[in-house]
Amino acid sequence: MNNNLNMECPICKSANLDQMHDRVWSARDTKVFRCNHCFTGFLYPIMKEAEEKKFYADYNEHTKKRGVTLTTDPLELHKKSMKDASKRWEQLDNFFMQDGRILEIGSSTGAFLEQCSQKCECVCVEPDSINRAFASRFSVGQYEYLENIPDGEKFDVICLFHVFEHIRDPFDFLSKCSRLLNEDGSIIIEVPHIEDPLLSVYDLDSYKDFYFQPMHHYIYSENGLRYVFESEGFYETHIVFHQRYGLDNHLAWLKKGKPGGDVKFKELFGNSNEYCRALEKAKKTDTIIYIAKKNGKNYEGQ
Ligand SMILES: [Zn+2]
């Protein structure tokens, strides 16, 4: 559909858009569109910068409201994040060289850094002051914003887990990252994927009502990520289609239409990996891990 709002895809500038959902969690008048050219999903209109600042100053409180975490205590939050962080480290360990300098942006309490700091020297950016103070246990430097990192600091790897989709201007952001990277440096991001099966296979409205939220400006696609990274001079080295949530979680969504899982489904299907592997093979996953180098064209694919 060629829209009549003079809108264009904020990633590839195509005007060929479709509306994906007519509402967004907690944000009145915001809608979700999808580009038919690069397949990225995006919110329109997006939060004003002042609203956004206020939102992040109180982020723990916000996640509590969504029932994602039931605490604002950083120790408890940290413990809850450890399971995901350990899995992530197992998956990505090889991309972090011994004694490398690592920057994690949006580290929260530092659950990933706790793993990574056993091998590398870590620095973090984290806007929430309580979480940032907690992350000092696993990092040699902590900054509130990317802009606070002193000139001349360089890193071998910059990583962001479920943070890149929060960034208002991904082009400007990547250009800043590029300046902070060593010549052979890489960037690793993990983001929600527009081909999440609860959207792309089950087309579940109750899930859409929960899933689309004002702080996720974009829901990236494979093509959209390529477009943004290549525009800023990066070269893709790896792309991984990763399914985080299993059959038990999807059945619970289909049955109850809300998050939180289901004890019976967990008992029956909690340890079954076959479903996730099938989705990964079809590239219908809830998550994409994208790895790109600043310089280097040794594309290995997957
Ligand atoms: Zn596009």
Side-chain angles (χ1 to χ4, degrees):
M1 148 188 119
N2 275 312
N3 63 84
N4 52 14
L5 292 166
N6 287 328
M7 272 173 63
E8 56 183 30
C9 167
I11 300 299
C12 77
K13 310 297 175 206
S14 167
N16 187 356
L17 310 171
D18 276 330
Q19 186 170 301
M20 219 183 156
H21 201 51
D22 65 357
R23 52 196 183 266
V24 167
W25 189 81
S26 87
R28 277 186 197 172
D29 307 323
T30 303
K31 298 187 188 330
V32 187
F33 293 87
R34 186 177 190 185
C35 172
N36 289 319
H37 184 246
C38 75
F39 308 113
T40 305
F42 62 94
L43 305 192
Y44 184 87
I46 66 170
M47 262 197 284
K48 295 191 179 74
E49 272 180 72
E51 288 174 301
E52 202 171 75
K53 273 230 156 100
K54 192 167 173 292
F55 195 89
Y56 284 116
D58 223 3
Y59 196 57
N60 282 357
E61 199 53 49
H62 170 79
T63 51
K64 194 175 162 188
K65 255 192 236 162
R66 278 175 66 80
V68 175
T69 46
L70 297 168
T71 177
T72 53
D73 170 29
L75 178 62
E76 209 177 314
L77 181 63
H78 186 78
K79 282 185 188 157
K80 283 188 183 222
S81 315
M82 282 310 292
K83 199 176 153 204
D84 266 351
S86 308
K87 268 195 205 159
R88 195 167 282 147
W89 179 248
E90 228 172 83
Q91 205 170 11
L92 298 173
D93 181 355
N94 289 340
F95 294 99
F96 294 82
M97 63 295 282
Q98 187 68 42
D99 303 321
R101 289 205 84 219
I102 311 304
L103 173 66
E104 185 182 1
I105 300 172
S107 64
S108 185
T109 57
F112 183 77
L113 295 177
E114 184 169 352
Q115 308 282 322
C116 189
S117 60
Q118 293 170 28
K119 187 176 181 183
C120 303
E121 183 179 86
C122 301
V123 170
C124 69
V125 169
E126 171 52 45
D128 183 286
S129 59
I130 296 168
N131 292 346
R132 186 168 68 246
F134 195 93
S136 68
R137 303 176 189 199
F138 321 109
S139 53
V140 297
Q142 306 84 34
Y143 300 97
E144 188 175 6
Y145 299 111
L146 196 60
E147 291 74 14
N148 302 136
I149 298 177
D151 284 344
E153 286 262 8
K154 295 280 182 189
F155 300 93
D156 298 305
V157 178
I158 297 179
C159 54
L160 300 88
F161 304 107
H162 295 268
V163 169
F164 194 68
E165 68 276 19
H166 294 243
I167 290 161
R168 174 184 285 274
D169 183 344
F171 297 96
D172 176 60
F173 177 82
L174 283 182
S175 114
K176 285 178 182 151
C177 287
S178 182
R179 289 199 290 276
L180 286 167
L181 278 173
N182 284 323
E183 279 317 298
D184 194 38
S186 36
I187 183 157
I188 300 175
I189 64 160
E190 183 178 318
V191 287
H193 183 200
I194 191 83
E195 295 296 333
D196 185 320
L198 290 172
L199 306 172
S200 69
V201 179
Y202 302 112
D203 195 23
L204 199 65
D205 271 343
S206 57
Y207 184 68
K208 292 178 194 172
D209 287 346
F210 172 81
Y211 182 80
F212 297 122
Q213 42 183 304
M215 60 285 192
H216 288 182
H217 304 314
Y218 307 100
I219 308 100
Y220 283 101
S221 65
E222 178 181 3
N223 287 1
L225 287 172
R226 262 182 208 134
Y227 192 93
V228 180
F229 276 84
E230 286 174 10
S231 302
E232 294 305 320
F234 284 89
Y235 297 95
E236 177 180 309
T237 62
H238 294 79
I239 183 161
V240 180
F241 297 90
H242 175 57
Q243 181 59 32
R244 291 173 89 196
Y245 290 95
L247 179 60
D248 56 315
N249 176 275
H250 286 182
L251 290 174
W253 266 105
L254 291 166
K255 181 182 168 191
K256 301 175 176 175
K258 59 179 191 185
D262 180 279
V263 180
K264 267 191 200 159
F265 292 150
K266 184 135 191 108
E267 246 176 58
L268 277 168
F269 304 116
N271 295 318
S272 150
N273 291 323
E274 214 171 302
Y275 176 74
C276 290
R277 300 297 89 83
L279 291 168
E280 287 170 353
K281 210 171 155 202
K283 299 186 178 183
K284 299 272 185 202
T285 56
D286 52 20
T287 310
I288 286 194
I289 299 167
Y290 192 85
I291 304 178
K293 265 190 186 289
K294 179 173 158 178
N295 286 305
K297 294 181 179 176
N298 50 337
Y299 179 77
E300 291 165 42
Q302 191 205 6

